[in-house]
Amino acid sequence: MDIILLNVIVLVYLLIVGYLGYKGWKGTSSAEDYMVGGRKIHPFVMAMSYGATFISTAAIVGFGGFAGLFGMSLLWLTFLNIFLGIFIAFVFFGKRTRKMGHNLNALTFPELLAKRFESKFIQWFSGLLIFCAMPIYAAAVLIGAARFIETTLNISFDVALLVFSVIIAVYVVMGGLKGVMYTDAFQGTIMFFGMLFLLYMTYDILGGVTTAHQAITNMSGMVPANLASIGHAGWTSMPTFGSPMWWTIVSSIILGVGIGVLAQPQLVVRFMTVKSNRELNRAVLIGAVFILIATGTAYVVGTLSNVYFMNTEGVLSIGATVSEAFPTGNSDSIMPLYINKAMPEWFIYIFLVSLLAAAMSTISSQFHAQGTSIGRDVYETLCGKKGLNSVIITRFGIIVAIIIAVILGYILPGGIVARGTALFFGLCSAAFLPAYALGLFWKRTTKEGAIAGLLTGTFVSLFCLLFVHEKEAAALGISKMLIGRDVLISTMPWPFVDPMVISLPLAFIATVVVSLLTKAPSEDHLKKCFKGI
Amino acid sequence: MLGISDPYVLSAYVLCILSTLLCVIYGALNWNKGSETETEEIEEELKWEKEEEKMEDEIGTVV
């Protein structure tokens, strides 16, 4: 390891991040500056910030590792990320969100919903839900970054996790969203070039695009028996239709994350930070190229790492990650290990920085979203107080959020990065998407309908997590304690169907039915919400 | 094609590139569109900002 080179790269990186954080802090004078960056953010900064927040170590380390296990069927998620997460999200949702956010002077996602539906309950319940559910996602991202530091610098995972959390805490608490968005844009740029080089190098090492793909296609006979038995049909094939693996990939990973992205509080707030639709139009172009390179590379390289490890060490990727702590391998270690083995040393350090950047940008936005949830949405709504006090509560909320995420980072098991992310995305989409989407596009949606959808989505998801979806229900053990079985229904495919597939449609139905049964919102209020839309 | 035999996975690979192209074309065609209401919105926000500051002065805040 070249300690001098590493130190120089990390130092330069931290200096730039420190400067950008300081710049954000200097430019933060009002609560509005702190919450939505003063609504005057450059489109490049906005798009890169959205992309860097969206794509984190969870996508690169966690989902890249999943691709190492399950293969290229995960590319459907990249397609949804681009088509739904960028095109539909920016062109259709983003413009309306921005305008409605402006019309109602809303600063956070729960505040937007609350003002649209004139309900304080929606604001504090959503705020509380975000504050309580986000730590698992934040912890997943922290773990992803710490695993990479562990592998690259050969230091203990526990130390890596702690030091990394402290660095993030300092610049999020100081800068607010403006600081977060400047640093995000810088980090997004590093990530973009890092991933582009990784993709190019991987195809180059393995003999070109078609040759590399053909090599992994030819390895379909080497699928381990335990994976073949759950539906693995090869790394360039979809899993067997209806098998446990098919349900996991299609319902949890592809649909859960692919659709979930539309209602992510830490992403939606970004639509409210630009001054006009022009910025969103430009961000569509920048964002899509970014997502294609960032996630596409992670899934393609994750899959192709099997060819590399088979050629060099005679094992599959997961086999290469076997260690004392993980006797059957850890999918979270596939990407860090591959990069450390296959890439030139200088690139490993640059990539370390870009991965840390990815984690920092996502996690800082998560902490920021959690902080504003508690400060603005819960504190202000319940106590009726505004102003600097809520900024102080927000900063305090961020610190509490960081502490919870670090504790979870220490106790969560291996292979959790992708699953933790999918779980959070699924819960968010079930709880928020019906009220958010219908609130933007259907004037007849009522306060009662929105509350019905919010509660149905939240509680059906939680019920499924505790009693239906085997992975979480068995781990949490509440079902076992109450009814003596890991899951309520053990007939296929229910134990493998992601909670979102059940809770999201039910939440939509609840929102529509209750809206139709209750009194329509007043014309005056609708006029105010939809002015200029 | 491209060394990927399963048409579903191949479709995903190709759709990723096509959807990016769609976004690039959309972004390029609308690069300068959509800023018509910018000045008006900024003025409205300045008004809110002043109202909020006035309200805070009246209520008083604990720092």
Side-chain angles (χ1 to χ4, degrees):
Chain A
M1 183 195 293
D2 189 338
I3 292 289
I4 298 174
L5 179 64
L6 173 68
N7 280 333
V8 168
I9 292 174
V10 171
L11 195 70
V12 170
Y13 169 73
L14 288 178
L15 278 175
I16 297 175
V17 168
Y19 168 73
L20 293 171
Y22 173 76
K23 198 167 174 266
W25 177 67
K26 283 285 277 183
T28 304
S29 54
S30 67
E32 191 169 42
D33 271 340
Y34 190 77
M35 306 287 184
V36 292
R39 286 194 213 270
K40 295 173 196 81
I41 293 289
H42 190 274
F44 176 79
V45 175
M46 193 268 164
M48 278 311 207
S49 168
Y50 182 93
T53 304
F54 187 171
I55 305 307
S56 63
T57 42
I60 299 165
V61 173
F63 287 58
F66 254 44
L69 263 187
F70 299 132
M72 283 193 193
S73 51
L74 261 71
L75 281 174
W76 278 107
L77 179 56
T78 299
F79 166 63
L80 285 185
N81 283 164
I82 297 168
F83 188 69
L84 278 184
I86 297 288
F87 190 72
I88 302 290
F90 278 62
V91 176
F92 297 99
F93 281 69
K95 288 178 181 173
R96 281 178 176 244
T97 306
R98 194 197 69 78
K99 192 70 191 165
M100 199 178 277
H102 169 83
N103 290 344
L104 300 171
N105 197 18
L107 300 179
T108 67
F109 178 52
E111 192 179 1
L112 175 76
L113 293 182
K115 286 192 167 169
R116 162 69 176 88
F117 295 112
E118 300 177 288
S119 159
K120 288 199 165 190
F121 171 79
I122 291 185
Q123 187 163 2
W124 70 256
F125 183 84
S126 310
L128 205 61
L129 183 65
I130 293 168
F131 191 78
C132 294
M134 207 176 253
I136 190 154
Y137 179 27
V141 179
L142 267 183
I143 295 172
R147 286 269 168 241
F148 197 83
I149 303 172
E150 179 196 26
T151 315
T152 308
L153 305 184
N154 208 13
I155 58 171
S156 127
F157 172 77
D158 295 348
V159 174
L161 190 67
L162 190 67
V163 172
F164 185 56
S165 312
V166 171
I167 297 173
I168 293 176
V170 171
Y171 92 87
V172 182
V173 173
M174 287 186 72
L177 189 56
K178 213 188 238 180
V180 167
M181 287 181 76
Y182 285 143
T183 46
D184 274 0
F186 167 63
Q187 290 158 342
T189 312
I190 302 180
M191 271 170 70
F192 179 81
F193 289 106
M195 295 305 275
L196 196 62
F197 184 81
L198 178 65
L199 183 68
Y200 170 77
M201 281 296 286
T202 301
Y203 276 136
D204 190 49
I205 291 170
L206 301 177
V209 177
T210 307
T211 315
H213 292 168
Q214 195 59 54
I216 190 74
T217 302
N218 296 342
M219 282 171 65
S220 59
M222 294 179 193
V223 172
N226 61 334
L227 291 178
S229 67
I230 58 165
H232 200 313
W235 286 271
T236 53
S237 300
M238 288 299 284
T240 314
F241 181 74
S243 63
M245 189 175 134
W246 188 89
W247 278 103
T248 304
I249 300 252
V250 174
S251 73
S252 293
I253 307 287
I254 299 176
L255 293 180
V257 181
I259 296 176
V261 73
L262 286 173
Q264 287 293 298
Q266 76 278 18
L267 297 180
V268 172
V269 74
R270 269 155 178 70
F271 299 137
M272 300 194 264
T273 60
V274 287
K275 56 186 173 185
S276 72
N277 286 346
R278 185 182 62 186
E279 277 65 30
L280 289 173
N281 288 337
R282 294 178 178 183
V284 169
L285 189 156
I286 305 165
V289 176
F290 180 84
I291 301 289
L292 174 75
I293 296 301
T295 68
T297 298
Y299 306 154
V300 168
V301 169
T303 304
L304 293 176
S305 68
N306 285 294
V307 181
Y308 176 81
F309 284 114
M310 192 50 75
N311 290 347
T312 54
E313 298 179 22
V315 287
L316 295 172
S317 305
I318 192 73
T321 65
V322 169
S323 66
E324 217 172 278
F326 297 100
T328 52
N330 178 6
S331 64
D332 291 345
S333 299
I334 291 178
M335 288 299 279
L337 192 70
Y338 168 73
I339 291 163
N340 273 278
K341 296 252 170 148
M343 295 294 127
E345 194 170 0
W346 63 267
F347 178 73
I348 297 170
Y349 301 141
I350 299 270
F351 200 79
L352 171 70
V353 170
S354 75
L355 256 191
L356 295 188
M360 286 172 85
S361 56
T362 300
I363 210 160
S364 58
S365 300
Q366 292 167 336
F367 288 145
H368 187 270
Q370 277 180 281
T372 49
S373 303
I374 219 69
R376 182 107 188 162
D377 304 321
V378 180
Y379 170 78
E380 280 190 6
T381 317
L382 291 179
C383 300
K385 289 177 186 166
K386 275 191 150 195
L388 270 175
N389 238 357
S390 55
V391 173
I392 294 167
I393 302 272
T394 298
R395 290 186 175 169
F396 180 71
I398 291 172
I399 294 167
V400 174
I402 294 172
I403 294 169
I404 299 174
V406 174
I407 294 171
L408 280 176
Y410 282 115
I411 56 177
L412 288 172
I416 191 71
V417 177
R419 203 167 283 282
T421 309
L423 200 148
F424 178 77
F425 272 54
L427 182 62
C428 269
S429 58
F432 300 130
L433 193 54
Y436 174 52
L438 294 171
L440 286 180
F441 293 97
W442 189 40
K443 289 183 178 173
R444 185 65 181 77
T445 321
T446 64
K447 168 183 164 180
E448 293 77 11
I451 293 175
L454 182 64
L455 295 178
T456 308
T458 308
F459 291 109
V460 172
S461 290
L462 291 176
F463 178 80
C464 291
L465 287 169
L466 295 177
F467 295 99
V468 182
H469 198 235
E470 194 182 24
K471 204 79 192 174
E472 287 82 21
L476 293 166
I478 294 170
S479 172
K480 182 93 176 167
M481 197 173 74
L482 293 176
I483 57 170
R485 291 197 306 266
D486 277 346
V487 285
L488 197 60
I489 318 162
S490 49
T491 341
M492 269 301 287
W494 297 107
F496 298 97
V497 175
D498 192 76
M500 193 211 73
V501 176
I502 305 163
S503 54
L504 182 63
L506 287 178
F508 261 110
I509 293 168
T511 312
V512 172
V513 170
V514 175
S515 289
L516 290 173
L517 292 174
T518 47
K519 194 171 160 269
S522 74
E523 275 302 317
D524 278 354
H525 178 66
L526 286 178
K527 212 179 263 177
K528 186 181 168 197
C529 294
F530 287 89
K531 188 184 146 202
I533 295 179
Chain B
M1 204 172 108
L2 287 170
I4 301 171
S5 48
D6 186 333
Y8 292 107
V9 175
L10 184 64
S11 312
Y13 195 94
V14 174
L15 279 172
C16 288
I17 296 164
L18 292 180
S19 54
T20 306
L21 281 177
L22 170 76
C23 292
V24 168
I25 293 167
Y26 179 89
L29 290 178
N30 294 288
W31 192 255
N32 282 321
K33 289 179 191 162
S35 61
E36 298 80 12
T37 55
E38 193 182 316
T39 329
E40 184 194 323
E41 284 184 15
I42 289 175
E43 268 168 27
E44 268 179 32
E45 276 171 25
L46 276 172
K47 209 177 92 195
W48 288 329
E49 189 80 7
K50 279 179 191 155
E51 275 171 19
E52 193 145 317
E53 274 170 21
K54 202 177 141 206
M55 212 163 61
E56 272 168 23
D57 285 344
E58 281 165 10
I59 301 167
T61 49
V62 184
V63 183

